[in-house]
């Protein structure tokens, strides 16, 4: 129960106006506390609003530069969890960093994550999206572009899946803006980090690590081949999650007959596979290995294809 700071006869003998004032002050205190708590713990509606702002900024830059559009996400998902959204947000941030590098800006680091993966909240995702937005703002200023207007408030029942899909849409916009498109080496590093996680999980569970498959007969694989293998790899990881008592998101990906898949699409899909493997790793080993150093070699699409288990 809330009480005024001063109690006793001095307050009891005050008139009706003073009592009303105190009542209003108490109500204001309650509402202010609730507002502060909501600001400290934003829901997915707030995250979606920020993603929409990022996407609008990307679109304004694209239109000013005269870059053609119409790329659609290469896959869809259902039943996303917060940690899966977080990893996809990191992929979006990384692309904005590459864009910053192309325009001569300093590379930035994403906000550090100081909590276990199984306790990630929407506020952690929001911090990454805000950092992505901050990466884009120098370009907007250089092009004399105003900040896009704030979107309409998002529904209160906005889900992690809604945010994930919005991030994929914004990510495709960055794929279009990157003059030096995402290269196989970028996907290779993402897959390498995932493989490093997976090997240690299998060792912890006393399961055999699959041998790496080398294909010496030809080196003509395409991003579509890598996409198909990543899709198959995700199905295996999702089954490992189910056996471990976890629930992975539902991936909807069909590459049959497609010729419009690029390393950027594989980077997004690799981020999804990484999110599941990293989460399983954190649960089984309770720590994360350090990121793999960049591979200085020239990486081909086939190198990535062979690396995906």
């Amino acid at each position: 129960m809330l009480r005024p700071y001063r109690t006793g006869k001095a307050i009891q003998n005050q008139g009706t106006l003073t009592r009303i004032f105190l009542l209003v002050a108490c109500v204001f205190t309650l509402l202010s506390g609730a507002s502060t708590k909501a600001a400290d713990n934003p829901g997915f509606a707030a995250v979606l609003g920020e993603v929409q702002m990022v996407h609008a900024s990307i679109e304004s830059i694209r239109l000013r530069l005269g870059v053609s559009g119409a790329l659609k996400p290469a896959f869809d998902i259902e039943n996303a969890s917060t940690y899966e959204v977080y990893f996809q947000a990191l992929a979006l941030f990384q692309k904005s960093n590459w864009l910053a590098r192309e325009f001569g800006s300093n590379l930035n680091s994403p906000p550090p994550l100081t909590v276990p993966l199984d306790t990630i909240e929407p506020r952690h995702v929001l911090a990454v999206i805000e950092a992505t937005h901050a990466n884009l703002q120098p370009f907007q200023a250089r092009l004399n572009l105003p900040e896009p207007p704030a979107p309409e408030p998002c529904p209160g029942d906005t889900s992690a899946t809604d945010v994930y899909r919005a991030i994929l849409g914004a990510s495709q916009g960055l794929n279009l803006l990157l003059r030096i498109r995402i290269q196989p080496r970028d996907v290779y590093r993402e897959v390498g980090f995932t493989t490093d996680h997976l090997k240690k999980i299998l060792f912890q569970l006393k399961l055999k690590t699959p041998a790496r498959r080398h294909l010496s007969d030809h080196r003509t694989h395409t991003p579509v081949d890598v996409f198909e293998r990543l899709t198959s790899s995700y199905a295996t990881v999702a089954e490992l999650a189910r056996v471990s008592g976890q629930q992975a998101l539902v991936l909807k990906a069909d590459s049959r007959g497609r010729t419009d898949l690029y390393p950027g699409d594989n980077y997004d899909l690799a981020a999804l596979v990484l999110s599941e493997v990293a989460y399983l790793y954190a649960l089984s080993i309770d720590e994360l290995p350090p990121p793999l150093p960049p591979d200085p070699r020239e990486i081909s699409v086939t190198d990535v294809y062979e690396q995906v288990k």
Side-chain angles (χ1 to χ4, degrees):
M1 177 180 178
L2 290 177
R3 292 187 174 87
Y5 289 109
R6 298 174 59 195
T7 59
K9 294 181 180 179
I11 288 181
Q12 292 172 4
N13 293 335
Q14 298 210 16
T16 303
L17 186 60
T18 302
R19 288 197 296 271
I20 293 175
F21 173 79
L22 290 172
L23 177 61
V24 171
C26 288
V27 172
F28 178 79
T29 300
L30 286 170
L31 292 178
S32 298
S35 176
T36 301
K37 184 176 181 180
D40 291 341
N41 299 282
F44 282 118
V47 182
L48 180 58
E50 187 67 18
V51 174
Q52 290 173 344
M53 285 287 290
V54 167
H55 200 169
S57 296
I58 293 169
E59 282 298 289
S60 67
I61 296 172
R62 182 184 67 79
L63 292 172
R64 176 60 62 88
L65 296 178
V67 178
S68 60
L71 271 185
K72 295 182 179 180
F75 60 92
D76 191 19
I77 55 92
E78 288 182 355
N79 302 327
S81 298
T82 307
Y83 70 88
E84 292 160 336
V85 180
Y86 178 81
F87 274 86
Q88 202 59 239
L90 284 178
L92 182 68
F93 173 85
Q94 182 59 50
K95 290 182 183 181
S96 74
N97 236 7
W98 288 331
L99 189 65
R101 179 179 60 193
E102 287 188 4
F103 282 81
S105 298
N106 294 327
L107 296 181
N108 298 310
S109 299
L113 183 66
T114 57
V115 299
L117 292 182
D118 58 343
T119 62
I120 289 180
E121 298 178 349
R123 62 188 174 92
H124 300 112
V125 182
L126 180 60
V128 177
I129 299 299
E130 288 175 338
T132 303
H133 196 176
N135 269 353
L136 298 175
Q137 287 172 334
F139 309 141
Q140 293 173 266
R142 188 177 304 176
L143 297 172
N144 294 318
L145 290 171
E147 185 73 4
E152 294 293 324
C154 299
D157 59 352
T158 298
S159 67
T161 297
D162 296 328
V163 176
Y164 197 111
R165 288 170 174 163
I167 291 175
L168 286 179
S171 189
Q172 286 292 3
L174 279 178
N175 287 347
L176 291 169
L177 283 179
L178 287 167
R179 292 180 298 183
I180 302 175
R181 296 298 175 90
I182 295 174
Q183 300 295 310
R185 63 175 175 268
D186 302 315
V187 185
Y188 186 89
R189 185 174 183 273
E190 191 90 341
V191 172
F193 193 33
T194 303
T195 303
D196 192 53
H197 280 74
L198 188 56
K199 285 179 181 178
K200 295 183 180 181
I201 293 174
L202 295 175
F203 178 81
Q204 183 79 5
L205 298 176
K206 296 181 172 56
L207 297 176
K208 184 178 179 181
T209 302
R212 181 173 175 178
R213 293 169 282 191
H214 291 278
L215 306 177
S216 57
D217 53 340
H218 59 83
R219 298 181 64 82
T220 58
H221 292 97
T222 67
V224 174
D225 298 320
V226 176
F227 189 88
E228 290 174 348
R229 180 163 280 194
L230 280 168
T231 302
S232 175
S233 177
Y234 179 78
T236 302
V237 172
E239 177 61 19
L240 179 60
R242 188 191 66 79
V243 171
S244 303
Q246 307 301 318
Q247 183 176 0
L249 61 70
V250 178
L251 172 64
K252 296 181 177 181
D254 187 358
S255 59
R256 290 175 297 181
R258 295 194 61 170
T259 59
D260 58 342
L261 294 175
Y262 301 95
D265 300 310
N266 289 329
Y267 187 83
D268 294 335
L269 186 53
L272 168 57
V273 180
L274 172 60
S275 70
E276 302 299 346
V277 174
Y279 186 72
L280 290 173
Y281 186 101
L283 291 180
S284 60
I285 303 180
D286 198 29
E287 66 179 27
L288 288 177
L292 297 179
D295 195 318
R297 297 183 298 119
E298 186 65 29
I299 300 298
S300 70
V301 173
T302 294
D303 289 325
V304 181
Y305 181 83
E306 292 180 355
Q307 191 185 41
V308 181
K309 296 294 186 284

